[in-house]
Amino acid sequence: MLTFIGLGLYDERSITVEGRAALRDADRVFAEFYTSALLGATVEELEDYHDVTIEIRDRAGVEQHPEEILEAAETESVAFLTAGDTMISTTHVDLRLRAHDRGIETRVIHGITAQTATSALTGLQNYRFGTATTLPFPYAHGADGLPASVTNTIDANREAGSHTVVYLDIKVDNEAALERVDTDEAVAEYMTADIGAGLLAEAYPDLVGVAVARAGSPDPLVEAGTMTELAAQDFGDPLHLLVIPGECHLLEADALVELAGADRDALDIV
């Protein structure tokens, strides 16, 4: 059996009760933290809290060389851990399909996602979000200005009146980051909301956005403003993301004003 378990958003306690039970029952436990991470707990804290030993895999160890995970799941109960919800990334869907190809039974135990937490924290209705996009570091995509994947998604959602979640880039142990800091040590870079807003402000200086920081933690932050305004602020520790509201119902507008300090006159209210 290969059981995919979402750890939730913040620390060792963010997992569901069902996920905790499955994790403790596993014979072997693997995890990856390159698609997302728990900023409120170290691997050691996860191991101590759940009384397990966790084997960390990098991107290549999951996407290109998953044999050890799959071979273990053929004869043992194996848990595969990720932050958030375990099936948000296509990486994990691919691993599940590889398991099925080998005749390995799989199970999914979901965790809280940044998408649902963002809807809850901002008051924007979940069903009114359009396609999400990810804003990469400029050095990661190598093009001038914003990638078309970002601008096309924002523009299409705005035309449809839909809200947009802009996930901010995470780079873990990558060569470009190593070159930038001139070290051979493991590196993790987390794009912050002010940096993301600054990049978006190049094309959308007056566009209203909402910065969401540390969703799922004891001290989440939600702050609205134009991209230019958000780019000048400090939102503290990661993880961060940005939301671009589309057309807002009255209740959504009320929520953005009350919960995020939005300027009501700057919102598109229908």
Side-chain angles (χ1 to χ4, degrees), residues 4-41:
F4 294 85
I5 303 174
L7 292 171
L9 293 178
Y10 183 65
D11 63 15
E12 69 275 14
R13 299 170 299 168
S14 300
I15 192 172
T16 64
V17 173
E18 181 185 14
R20 183 178 184 181
L23 174 54
R24 290 185 169 184
D25 287 343
D27 299 312
R28 290 183 71 177
V29 180
F30 297 89
E32 67 83 359
F33 294 113
Y34 61 83
T35 56
S36 188
L38 295 179
L39 271 295

mmCIF file of all heavy atoms in Angstrom, residues 4-41:
data_model
loop_
_atom_site.group_PDB
_atom_site.id
_atom_site.type_symbol
_atom_site.label_atom_id
_atom_site.label_comp_id
_atom_site.label_asym_id
_atom_site.label_seq_id
_atom_site.Cartn_x
_atom_site.Cartn_y
_atom_site.Cartn_z
ATOM 1 N N PHE A 4 -0.756 8.415 0.313
ATOM 2 C CA PHE A 4 -0.352 9.803 0.159
ATOM 3 C C PHE A 4 -1.047 10.630 1.247
ATOM 4 O O PHE A 4 -2.274 10.611 1.355
ATOM 5 C CB PHE A 4 -0.747 10.333 -1.217
ATOM 6 C CG PHE A 4 -0.017 9.665 -2.352
ATOM 7 C CD1 PHE A 4 -0.474 8.465 -2.888
ATOM 8 C CD2 PHE A 4 1.128 10.236 -2.891
ATOM 9 C CE1 PHE A 4 0.194 7.846 -3.939
ATOM 10 C CE2 PHE A 4 1.801 9.633 -3.938
ATOM 11 C CZ PHE A 4 1.336 8.429 -4.467
ATOM 12 N N ILE A 5 -0.250 11.349 2.043
ATOM 13 C CA ILE A 5 -0.804 12.074 3.180
ATOM 14 C C ILE A 5 -0.431 13.552 3.082
ATOM 15 O O ILE A 5 0.751 13.905 3.012
ATOM 16 C CB ILE A 5 -0.282 11.503 4.513
ATOM 17 C CG1 ILE A 5 -0.594 10.007 4.621
ATOM 18 C CG2 ILE A 5 -0.873 12.269 5.694
ATOM 19 C CD1 ILE A 5 0.022 9.337 5.845
ATOM 20 N N GLY A 6 -1.437 14.415 3.079
ATOM 21 C CA GLY A 6 -1.210 15.850 3.125
ATOM 22 C C GLY A 6 -1.002 16.299 4.560
ATOM 23 O O GLY A 6 -1.799 15.986 5.441
ATOM 24 N N LEU A 7 0.062 17.053 4.795
ATOM 25 C CA LEU A 7 0.412 17.479 6.147
ATOM 26 C C LEU A 7 -0.262 18.777 6.570
ATOM 27 O O LEU A 7 -0.115 19.199 7.718
ATOM 28 C CB LEU A 7 1.935 17.649 6.258
ATOM 29 C CG LEU A 7 2.769 16.369 6.160
ATOM 30 C CD1 LEU A 7 4.246 16.720 6.060
ATOM 31 C CD2 LEU A 7 2.520 15.471 7.359
ATOM 32 N N GLY A 8 -0.983 19.420 5.656
ATOM 33 C CA GLY A 8 -1.570 20.707 5.996
ATOM 34 C C GLY A 8 -0.597 21.840 5.743
ATOM 35 O O GLY A 8 0.392 21.690 5.026
ATOM 36 N N LEU A 9 -0.841 22.993 6.378
ATOM 37 C CA LEU A 9 -0.181 24.209 5.934
ATOM 38 C C LEU A 9 0.992 24.709 6.774
ATOM 39 O O LEU A 9 1.800 25.475 6.267
ATOM 40 C CB LEU A 9 -1.212 25.350 5.854
ATOM 41 C CG LEU A 9 -2.290 25.193 4.787
ATOM 42 C CD1 LEU A 9 -3.256 26.352 4.861
ATOM 43 C CD2 LEU A 9 -1.673 25.092 3.410
ATOM 44 N N TYR A 10 1.094 24.298 8.044
ATOM 45 C CA TYR A 10 2.057 25.046 8.844
ATOM 46 C C TYR A 10 3.045 24.202 9.650
ATOM 47 O O TYR A 10 4.245 24.314 9.480
ATOM 48 C CB TYR A 10 1.320 25.989 9.793
ATOM 49 C CG TYR A 10 2.239 26.861 10.607
ATOM 50 C CD1 TYR A 10 3.051 27.814 9.989
ATOM 51 C CD2 TYR A 10 2.316 26.728 11.985
ATOM 52 C CE1 TYR A 10 3.916 28.609 10.724
ATOM 53 C CE2 TYR A 10 3.172 27.527 12.739
ATOM 54 C CZ TYR A 10 3.965 28.462 12.097
ATOM 55 O OH TYR A 10 4.820 29.249 12.831
ATOM 56 N N ASP A 11 2.555 23.343 10.559
ATOM 57 C CA ASP A 11 3.494 22.641 11.417
ATOM 58 C C ASP A 11 3.098 21.182 11.610
ATOM 59 O O ASP A 11 2.237 20.659 10.881
ATOM 60 C CB ASP A 11 3.655 23.356 12.766
ATOM 61 C CG ASP A 11 2.364 23.406 13.577
ATOM 62 O OD1 ASP A 11 1.416 22.660 13.265
ATOM 63 O OD2 ASP A 11 2.298 24.200 14.542
ATOM 64 N N GLU A 12 3.716 20.523 12.587
ATOM 65 C CA GLU A 12 3.496 19.094 12.793
ATOM 66 C C GLU A 12 2.076 18.766 13.238
ATOM 67 O O GLU A 12 1.643 17.621 13.139
ATOM 68 C CB GLU A 12 4.503 18.548 13.813
ATOM 69 C CG GLU A 12 4.315 19.018 15.245
ATOM 70 C CD GLU A 12 4.971 20.346 15.546
ATOM 71 O OE1 GLU A 12 5.369 21.067 14.595
ATOM 72 O OE2 GLU A 12 5.109 20.667 16.746
ATOM 73 N N ARG A 13 1.325 19.759 13.682
ATOM 74 C CA ARG A 13 -0.041 19.534 14.165
ATOM 75 C C ARG A 13 -1.108 19.819 13.106
ATOM 76 O O ARG A 13 -2.297 19.639 13.373
ATOM 77 C CB ARG A 13 -0.300 20.398 15.397
ATOM 78 C CG ARG A 13 0.621 20.107 16.573
ATOM 79 C CD ARG A 13 0.457 21.149 17.653
ATOM 80 N NE ARG A 13 0.803 22.468 17.143
ATOM 81 C CZ ARG A 13 0.543 23.622 17.764
ATOM 82 N NH1 ARG A 13 -0.085 23.607 18.913
ATOM 83 N NH2 ARG A 13 0.912 24.761 17.240
ATOM 84 N N SER A 14 -0.704 20.266 11.921
ATOM 85 C CA SER A 14 -1.668 20.653 10.890
ATOM 86 C C SER A 14 -2.285 19.461 10.157
ATOM 87 O O SER A 14 -3.236 19.631 9.390
ATOM 88 C CB SER A 14 -0.997 21.580 9.866
ATOM 89 O OG SER A 14 -0.518 22.756 10.477
ATOM 90 N N ILE A 15 -1.756 18.290 10.345
ATOM 91 C CA ILE A 15 -2.259 17.075 9.707
ATOM 92 C C ILE A 15 -3.631 16.713 10.286
ATOM 93 O O ILE A 15 -3.961 17.081 11.417
ATOM 94 C CB ILE A 15 -1.250 15.922 9.942
ATOM 95 C CG1 ILE A 15 -1.550 14.718 9.066
ATOM 96 C CG2 ILE A 15 -1.195 15.544 11.410
ATOM 97 C CD1 ILE A 15 -0.452 13.652 9.132
ATOM 98 N N THR A 16 -4.440 16.014 9.499
ATOM 99 C CA THR A 16 -5.730 15.553 10.013
ATOM 100 C C THR A 16 -5.521 14.377 10.970
ATOM 101 O O THR A 16 -4.467 13.730 10.981
ATOM 102 C CB THR A 16 -6.654 15.097 8.878
ATOM 103 O OG1 THR A 16 -6.069 13.961 8.223
ATOM 104 C CG2 THR A 16 -6.882 16.215 7.861
ATOM 105 N N VAL A 17 -6.549 14.079 11.764
ATOM 106 C CA VAL A 17 -6.486 12.935 12.668
ATOM 107 C C VAL A 17 -6.312 11.642 11.882
ATOM 108 O O VAL A 17 -5.531 10.754 12.250
ATOM 109 C CB VAL A 17 -7.752 12.875 13.547
ATOM 110 C CG1 VAL A 17 -7.775 11.598 14.381
ATOM 111 C CG2 VAL A 17 -7.831 14.100 14.462
ATOM 112 N N GLU A 18 -7.027 11.528 10.758
ATOM 113 C CA GLU A 18 -6.901 10.340 9.905
ATOM 114 C C GLU A 18 -5.487 10.213 9.360
ATOM 115 O O GLU A 18 -4.910 9.114 9.331
ATOM 116 C CB GLU A 18 -7.904 10.417 8.752
ATOM 117 C CG GLU A 18 -7.866 9.209 7.826
ATOM 118 C CD GLU A 18 -8.785 9.352 6.622
ATOM 119 O OE1 GLU A 18 -9.256 10.484 6.363
ATOM 120 O OE2 GLU A 18 -9.032 8.339 5.940
ATOM 121 N N GLY A 19 -4.913 11.326 8.926
ATOM 122 C CA GLY A 19 -3.558 11.297 8.402
ATOM 123 C C GLY A 19 -2.545 10.914 9.451
ATOM 124 O O GLY A 19 -1.600 10.155 9.188
ATOM 125 N N ARG A 20 -2.728 11.417 10.671
ATOM 126 C CA ARG A 20 -1.799 11.085 11.757
ATOM 127 C C ARG A 20 -1.828 9.590 12.058
ATOM 128 O O ARG A 20 -0.777 8.969 12.256
ATOM 129 C CB ARG A 20 -2.155 11.888 13.002
ATOM 130 C CG ARG A 20 -1.201 11.668 14.155
ATOM 131 C CD ARG A 20 -1.561 12.523 15.350
ATOM 132 N NE ARG A 20 -0.580 12.372 16.410
ATOM 133 C CZ ARG A 20 -0.650 12.985 17.581
ATOM 134 N NH1 ARG A 20 -1.663 13.796 17.840
ATOM 135 N NH2 ARG A 20 0.282 12.793 18.492
ATOM 136 N N ALA A 21 -3.007 9.004 12.078
ATOM 137 C CA ALA A 21 -3.117 7.571 12.353
ATOM 138 C C ALA A 21 -2.442 6.753 11.263
ATOM 139 O O ALA A 21 -1.713 5.787 11.538
ATOM 140 C CB ALA A 21 -4.584 7.181 12.492
ATOM 141 N N ALA A 22 -2.665 7.126 9.999
ATOM 142 C CA ALA A 22 -2.058 6.396 8.884
ATOM 143 C C ALA A 22 -0.542 6.539 8.897
ATOM 144 O O ALA A 22 0.195 5.589 8.592
ATOM 145 C CB ALA A 22 -2.632 6.895 7.562
ATOM 146 N N LEU A 23 -0.062 7.720 9.255
ATOM 147 C CA LEU A 23 1.375 7.957 9.306
ATOM 148 C C LEU A 23 2.030 7.073 10.367
ATOM 149 O O LEU A 23 3.066 6.453 10.131
ATOM 150 C CB LEU A 23 1.628 9.436 9.604
ATOM 151 C CG LEU A 23 3.076 9.876 9.830
ATOM 152 C CD1 LEU A 23 3.959 9.461 8.665
ATOM 153 C CD2 LEU A 23 3.124 11.393 10.031
ATOM 154 N N ARG A 24 1.427 6.983 11.520
ATOM 155 C CA ARG A 24 1.997 6.183 12.607
ATOM 156 C C ARG A 24 1.926 4.683 12.324
ATOM 157 O O ARG A 24 2.721 3.910 12.873
ATOM 158 C CB ARG A 24 1.285 6.517 13.913
ATOM 159 C CG ARG A 24 1.619 7.914 14.419
ATOM 160 C CD ARG A 24 1.016 8.198 15.774
ATOM 161 N NE ARG A 24 1.566 9.421 16.343
ATOM 162 C CZ ARG A 24 1.278 9.872 17.571
ATOM 163 N NH1 ARG A 24 0.443 9.199 18.344
ATOM 164 N NH2 ARG A 24 1.828 10.986 18.018
ATOM 165 N N ASP A 25 0.996 4.275 11.465
ATOM 166 C CA ASP A 25 0.860 2.856 11.128
ATOM 167 C C ASP A 25 1.799 2.413 10.007
ATOM 168 O O ASP A 25 1.924 1.219 9.734
ATOM 169 C CB ASP A 25 -0.581 2.537 10.727
ATOM 170 C CG ASP A 25 -1.535 2.539 11.915
ATOM 171 O OD1 ASP A 25 -1.059 2.456 13.063
ATOM 172 O OD2 ASP A 25 -2.761 2.655 11.695
ATOM 173 N N ALA A 26 2.455 3.369 9.333
ATOM 174 C CA ALA A 26 3.276 3.039 8.167
ATOM 175 C C ALA A 26 4.570 2.345 8.574
ATOM 176 O O ALA A 26 5.144 2.626 9.634
ATOM 177 C CB ALA A 26 3.600 4.309 7.385
ATOM 178 N N ASP A 27 5.025 1.439 7.710
ATOM 179 C CA ASP A 27 6.307 0.771 7.921
ATOM 180 C C ASP A 27 7.476 1.667 7.511
ATOM 181 O O ASP A 27 8.539 1.644 8.139
ATOM 182 C CB ASP A 27 6.364 -0.535 7.120
ATOM 183 C CG ASP A 27 5.286 -1.517 7.536
ATOM 184 O OD1 ASP A 27 5.125 -1.733 8.758
ATOM 185 O OD2 ASP A 27 4.588 -2.046 6.646
ATOM 186 N N ARG A 28 7.290 2.426 6.423
ATOM 187 C CA ARG A 28 8.301 3.381 5.977
ATOM 188 C C ARG A 28 7.607 4.671 5.589
ATOM 189 O O ARG A 28 6.460 4.656 5.118
ATOM 190 C CB ARG A 28 9.113 2.842 4.792
ATOM 191 C CG ARG A 28 10.042 1.706 5.158
ATOM 192 C CD ARG A 28 10.871 1.274 3.952
ATOM 193 N NE ARG A 28 11.881 2.251 3.562
ATOM 194 C CZ ARG A 28 12.752 2.053 2.561
ATOM 195 N NH1 ARG A 28 12.700 0.925 1.858
ATOM 196 N NH2 ARG A 28 13.657 2.953 2.263
ATOM 197 N N VAL A 29 8.328 5.781 5.775
ATOM 198 C CA VAL A 29 7.753 7.099 5.504
ATOM 199 C C VAL A 29 8.713 7.898 4.632
ATOM 200 O O VAL A 29 9.884 8.096 4.997
ATOM 201 C CB VAL A 29 7.484 7.874 6.812
ATOM 202 C CG1 VAL A 29 6.884 9.240 6.496
ATOM 203 C CG2 VAL A 29 6.572 7.072 7.730
ATOM 204 N N PHE A 30 8.218 8.339 3.475
ATOM 205 C CA PHE A 30 8.966 9.210 2.587
ATOM 206 C C PHE A 30 8.287 10.579 2.554
ATOM 207 O O PHE A 30 7.086 10.698 2.831
ATOM 208 C CB PHE A 30 9.011 8.638 1.164
ATOM 209 C CG PHE A 30 9.727 7.320 1.052
ATOM 210 C CD1 PHE A 30 9.038 6.116 1.221
ATOM 211 C CD2 PHE A 30 11.086 7.281 0.772
ATOM 212 C CE1 PHE A 30 9.701 4.901 1.107
ATOM 213 C CE2 PHE A 30 11.749 6.063 0.653
ATOM 214 C CZ PHE A 30 11.051 4.874 0.828
ATOM 215 N N ALA A 31 9.050 11.609 2.180
ATOM 216 C CA ALA A 31 8.468 12.949 2.074
ATOM 217 C C ALA A 31 9.247 13.768 1.067
ATOM 218 O O ALA A 31 10.433 13.515 0.809
ATOM 219 C CB ALA A 31 8.476 13.654 3.429
ATOM 220 N N GLU A 32 8.593 14.736 0.484
ATOM 221 C CA GLU A 32 9.274 15.752 -0.322
ATOM 222 C C GLU A 32 8.769 17.123 0.121
ATOM 223 O O GLU A 32 7.595 17.289 0.448
ATOM 224 C CB GLU A 32 9.052 15.525 -1.825
ATOM 225 C CG GLU A 32 7.640 15.716 -2.349
ATOM 226 C CD GLU A 32 7.293 17.166 -2.648
ATOM 227 O OE1 GLU A 32 8.121 18.061 -2.441
ATOM 228 O OE2 GLU A 32 6.157 17.387 -3.074
ATOM 229 N N PHE A 33 9.669 18.110 0.099
ATOM 230 C CA PHE A 33 9.305 19.470 0.485
ATOM 231 C C PHE A 33 9.801 20.489 -0.532
ATOM 232 O O PHE A 33 10.069 21.637 -0.180
ATOM 233 C CB PHE A 33 9.849 19.787 1.884
ATOM 234 C CG PHE A 33 9.216 18.954 2.965
ATOM 235 C CD1 PHE A 33 9.963 18.008 3.658
ATOM 236 C CD2 PHE A 33 7.877 19.091 3.276
ATOM 237 C CE1 PHE A 33 9.381 17.227 4.651
ATOM 238 C CE2 PHE A 33 7.275 18.306 4.252
ATOM 239 C CZ PHE A 33 8.035 17.382 4.945
ATOM 240 N N TYR A 34 9.938 20.072 -1.802
ATOM 241 C CA TYR A 34 10.343 21.018 -2.832
ATOM 242 C C TYR A 34 9.148 21.664 -3.513
ATOM 243 O O TYR A 34 9.267 22.750 -4.085
ATOM 244 C CB TYR A 34 11.267 20.355 -3.865
ATOM 245 C CG TYR A 34 10.670 19.188 -4.621
ATOM 246 C CD1 TYR A 34 9.869 19.382 -5.745
ATOM 247 C CD2 TYR A 34 10.921 17.881 -4.213
ATOM 248 C CE1 TYR A 34 9.326 18.303 -6.428
ATOM 249 C CE2 TYR A 34 10.388 16.804 -4.891
ATOM 250 C CZ TYR A 34 9.593 17.022 -5.997
ATOM 251 O OH TYR A 34 9.051 15.944 -6.668
ATOM 252 N N THR A 35 7.973 21.033 -3.521
ATOM 253 C CA THR A 35 6.794 21.684 -4.104
ATOM 254 C C THR A 35 6.174 22.671 -3.135
ATOM 255 O O THR A 35 5.585 23.671 -3.536
ATOM 256 C CB THR A 35 5.734 20.653 -4.525
ATOM 257 O OG1 THR A 35 5.391 19.833 -3.398
ATOM 258 C CG2 THR A 35 6.237 19.764 -5.652
ATOM 259 N N SER A 36 6.293 22.395 -1.851
ATOM 260 C CA SER A 36 5.876 23.312 -0.797
ATOM 261 C C SER A 36 6.551 22.847 0.484
ATOM 262 O O SER A 36 7.258 21.834 0.489
ATOM 263 C CB SER A 36 4.351 23.329 -0.638
ATOM 264 O OG SER A 36 3.950 24.362 0.251
ATOM 265 N N ALA A 37 6.369 23.587 1.558
ATOM 266 C CA ALA A 37 7.074 23.265 2.790
ATOM 267 C C ALA A 37 6.241 23.651 4.002
ATOM 268 O O ALA A 37 5.326 24.471 3.915
ATOM 269 C CB ALA A 37 8.421 23.988 2.835
ATOM 270 N N LEU A 38 6.573 23.041 5.127
ATOM 271 C CA LEU A 38 6.000 23.441 6.411
ATOM 272 C C LEU A 38 6.990 24.381 7.080
ATOM 273 O O LEU A 38 8.072 23.956 7.496
ATOM 274 C CB LEU A 38 5.756 22.225 7.305
ATOM 275 C CG LEU A 38 4.724 21.193 6.837
ATOM 276 C CD1 LEU A 38 4.641 20.061 7.855
ATOM 277 C CD2 LEU A 38 3.356 21.829 6.639
ATOM 278 N N LEU A 39 6.636 25.653 7.197
ATOM 279 C CA LEU A 39 7.563 26.619 7.762
ATOM 280 C C LEU A 39 7.535 26.620 9.282
ATOM 281 O O LEU A 39 8.403 27.213 9.921
ATOM 282 C CB LEU A 39 7.257 28.022 7.224
ATOM 283 C CG LEU A 39 7.968 28.419 5.914
ATOM 284 C CD1 LEU A 39 9.465 28.504 6.121
ATOM 285 C CD2 LEU A 39 7.657 27.458 4.785
ATOM 286 N N GLY A 40 6.541 25.935 9.871
ATOM 287 C CA GLY A 40 6.433 25.933 11.318
ATOM 288 C C GLY A 40 7.001 24.698 11.981
ATOM 289 O O GLY A 40 6.866 24.537 13.203
ATOM 290 N N ALA A 41 7.636 23.819 11.217
ATOM 291 C CA ALA A 41 8.187 22.597 11.805
ATOM 292 C C ALA A 41 9.352 22.100 10.962
ATOM 293 O O ALA A 41 9.311 22.142 9.735
ATOM 294 C CB ALA A 41 7.120 21.512 11.907
#
